[in-house]
């Protein structure tokens, strides 16, 4: 039996030295893992996919769009590109994503070899050695050294160089493919993405968005803060003022006041005069209320409303003219002039 084992180890050695990429590749991926653990405690933001989970992940993602990067772990350009890709992935992937649910950023290693299946073959071969069917070893090993798990996937997308990036809606990638000369395709190549800036520019152009690499998540971390801090309460009132002002801009700007809603609006203004947390909104509401009959006379809707008081209505600032705009503190979005989850 030991001589069989010797033969087996010998064949294994010969086969492996004949396929240097296998060895270099796996050593590099081990190094890469060690590096990652050393350098940072968060895993990559981009989701690593392989032939096994590719379809499932893209089918299940709630994101509206997907980016798939095909690369090879041994390719120097890909390794240089990784930090760029990660910088963009940080914005969209993971629990702390600045802009969650919009884009799923993924990568597929076209040169990935099968570790799991090599162990399987080893077991298989041990078994055969034990049962003295040693002749099977050679063929098994040959199959193993050729096995690149994502080959078929990369071929389907006609990956001709590394890295190569694709863009599309996630379901279009499921069982999908791409051909260089295809006229119309639901999946397209991102052709100008060699730095993080250019990749994000490409995405912004595609979506008409204005995401920035420095976008930060605002808002929620402030919310958990200190409600007995007077400074924060003052800021919170800015938000309420601005929200009130925006609401009235919408109500007046879209002529939402109708004969049947007139009475409700008067009641609402009466409430604001007494209870609004901001002094200037209380004052503005009171002024609006006092001039309400002039602005909205009972026969307002029967006359030509285009002419009547148009100027004075659009000028009306319920919380005063000095209200600073775009100052969202607690309700701020990911950018300084946006709100909520934007
Ligand atoms: C594919 O990736 C998943 C998740 O990382 C892993 O569990 C699985 O073993 C991989 N498949 C192969 C064939 O390597
Ligand atoms: C909350 O703010 C008040 C006033 O600024 C301060 O005295 C107090 O220490 C703060 N509490 C916490 C938990 O930060
Ligand atoms: C918000 O944007 C305005 C205009 O773009 C700028 O002047 C201001 O400094 C920004 N504020 C912060 C906190 O970034």
């Amino acid at each position: 039996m030991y001589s069989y084992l010797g033969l087996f180890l010998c064949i294994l050695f010969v086969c492996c030295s004949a396929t240097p990429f296998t060895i270099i590749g796996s050593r590099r991926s081990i190094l890469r893992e060690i590096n990652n653990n050393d350098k940072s405690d968060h895993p990559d933001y981009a989701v690593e996919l392989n032939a096994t989970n590719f379809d499932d992940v893209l089918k299940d993602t709630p994101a509206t769009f997907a980016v798939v990067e095909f690369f090879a772990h041994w390719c120097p350009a890909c390794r240089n590109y990784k930090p760029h890709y990660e910088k963009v992935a940080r914005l969209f992937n993971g629990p702390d994503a600045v802009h969650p649910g919009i884009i799923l950023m993924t990568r597929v290693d076209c040169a990935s070899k099968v570790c799991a299946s090599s162990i399987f073959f080893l077991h298989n071969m041990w078994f055969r050695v034990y049962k003295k069917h040693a002749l099977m070893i050679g063929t098994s090993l040959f199959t193993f050294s050729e096995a690149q798990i994502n080959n078929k996937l990369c071929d389907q997308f006609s990956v001709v160089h590394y890295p190569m990036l694709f863009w599309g809606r996630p379901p279009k990638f499921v069982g999908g493919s791409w051909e260089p000369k295809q006229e119309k395709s639901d999946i397209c190549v991102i052709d100008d993405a060699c730095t993080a800036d250019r990749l994000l520019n490409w995405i912004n152009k595609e979506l008409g968005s204005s995401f920035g690499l420095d976008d930060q998540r605002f808002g929620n971390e402030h919310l958990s803060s200190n409600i007995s801090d007077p400074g924060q309460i003052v800021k919170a009132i800015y938000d309420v003022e601005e929200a009130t002002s925006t609401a009235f801009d919408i109500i007046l700007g879209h002529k939402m006041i109708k004969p049947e809603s007139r009475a409700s609006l008067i009641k609402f203004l009466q409430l604001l005069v007494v209870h609004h947390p901001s002094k200037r909104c209380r004052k503005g509401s009171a002024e609006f209320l006092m001039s309400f009959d002039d602005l909205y006379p009972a026969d307002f809707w029967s006359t030509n409303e285009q002419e009547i008081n148009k100027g004075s209505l659009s000028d009306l600032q319920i919380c005063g003219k000095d209200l600073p705009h775009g100052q969202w503190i607690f309700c701020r979005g990911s950018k300084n002039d946006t709100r909520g989850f934007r």
Side-chain angles (χ1 to χ4, degrees):
M1 178 182 164
Y2 284 109
S3 62
Y4 282 124
L5 178 58
L7 171 68
F8 157 64
L9 286 176
C10 177
I11 293 173
L12 183 65
F13 179 76
V14 170
C15 285
C16 290
S17 51
T19 56
F21 274 141
T22 316
I23 301 306
I24 292 169
S26 59
R27 202 184 292 146
R28 280 192 178 158
S29 59
I30 288 167
L31 278 180
R32 187 177 51 189
E33 266 162 38
I34 292 170
N35 277 345
N36 281 353
N37 290 346
D38 279 354
K39 262 193 289 195
S40 52
D41 40 13
H42 69 77
D44 290 346
Y45 290 103
V47 180
E48 182 126 11
L49 299 180
N50 58 38
T52 317
N53 57 15
F54 187 83
D55 281 0
D56 288 341
V57 171
L58 286 159
K59 201 166 57 199
D60 293 343
T61 178
T64 318
F65 297 95
V67 178
V68 179
E69 180 204 18
F70 289 99
F71 74 108
H73 55 256
W74 49 260
C75 132
C78 307
R79 295 157 70 80
N80 292 338
Y81 186 61
K82 189 176 176 195
H84 291 276
Y85 195 67
E86 279 296 300
K87 233 185 205 172
V88 177
R90 175 193 74 88
L91 300 173
F92 303 109
N93 283 13
D96 296 324
V98 188
H99 307 291
I102 303 169
I103 304 171
L104 178 71
M105 306 269 301
T106 67
R107 66 162 69 90
V108 175
D109 182 357
C110 291
S112 174
K113 312 264 177 173
V114 205
C115 287
S117 122
S118 74
I119 291 165
F120 166 77
F121 273 111
L122 272 170
H123 275 298
N124 209 7
M125 283 179 284
W126 273 103
F127 184 72
R128 292 183 201 287
V129 170
Y130 187 63
K131 294 283 184 186
K132 303 196 177 182
H133 293 148
L135 278 177
M136 295 297 291
I137 294 174
T139 43
S140 299
L141 265 179
F142 183 73
T143 324
F144 151 60
S145 63
E146 288 295 302
Q148 294 194 350
I149 53 172
N150 300 325
N151 253 0
K152 199 167 154 250
L153 192 56
C154 299
D155 286 348
Q156 259 167 258
F157 286 90
S158 314
V159 177
V160 286
H161 57 81
Y162 302 129
M164 197 167 172
L165 272 65
F166 290 87
W167 169 266
R169 295 193 176 260
K172 304 293 181 189
F173 283 98
V174 177
S177 62
W178 182 84
E179 301 279 346
K181 295 254 151 60
Q182 219 163 324
E183 275 293 298
K184 269 193 82 160
S185 172
D186 296 319
I187 294 169
C188 63
V189 174
I190 304 180
D191 47 13
D192 184 14
C194 56
T195 62
D197 277 314
R198 296 177 85 137
L199 174 56
L200 195 58
N201 279 347
W202 192 97
I203 290 171
N204 278 332
K205 236 194 246 165
E206 187 71 23
L207 297 183
S209 52
S210 54
F211 302 133
L213 286 176
D214 299 327
D215 289 358
Q216 296 292 336
R217 213 150 89 140
F218 285 114
N220 290 348
E221 64 263 45
H222 296 289
L223 272 186
S224 62
S225 49
N226 185 350
I227 54 160
S228 53
D229 179 349
Q232 291 195 1
I233 298 197
V234 169
K235 287 175 180 171
I237 289 177
Y238 272 127
D239 281 5
V240 180
E241 288 178 322
E242 194 163 350
T244 308
S245 171
T246 305
F248 271 88
D249 284 350
I250 293 169
I251 292 174
L252 301 179
H254 291 80
K255 305 195 181 72
M256 288 160 78
I257 304 167
K258 301 269 181 286
E260 58 275 19
S261 58
R262 190 176 184 272
S264 313
L265 185 68
I266 290 174
K267 270 191 196 147
F268 182 54
L269 283 167
Q270 287 166 340
L271 270 178
L272 292 186
V273 171
V274 184
H275 295 294
H276 199 286
S278 151
K279 191 172 161 191
R280 46 186 164 185
C281 296
R282 289 197 298 271
K283 185 161 168 276
S285 307
E287 284 167 4
F288 188 15
L289 202 53
M290 283 190 292
S291 54
F292 198 88
D293 278 339
D294 295 336
L295 294 170
Y296 289 99
D299 62 351
F300 178 75
W301 291 273
S302 58
T303 54
N304 183 356
E305 62 187 82
Q306 302 298 343
E307 281 166 27
I308 295 183
N309 295 324
K310 199 178 165 222
S312 53
L313 267 183
S314 59
D315 286 349
L316 195 133
Q317 296 289 327
I318 192 82
C319 295
K321 294 201 190 305
D322 304 332
L323 186 71
H325 273 273
Q327 296 293 309
W328 302 108
I329 307 293
F330 281 75
C331 312
R332 179 161 45 180
S334 53
K335 289 251 181 69
N336 107 22
D337 56 350
T338 60
R339 262 188 304 149
F341 293 102
R342 281 265 318 164

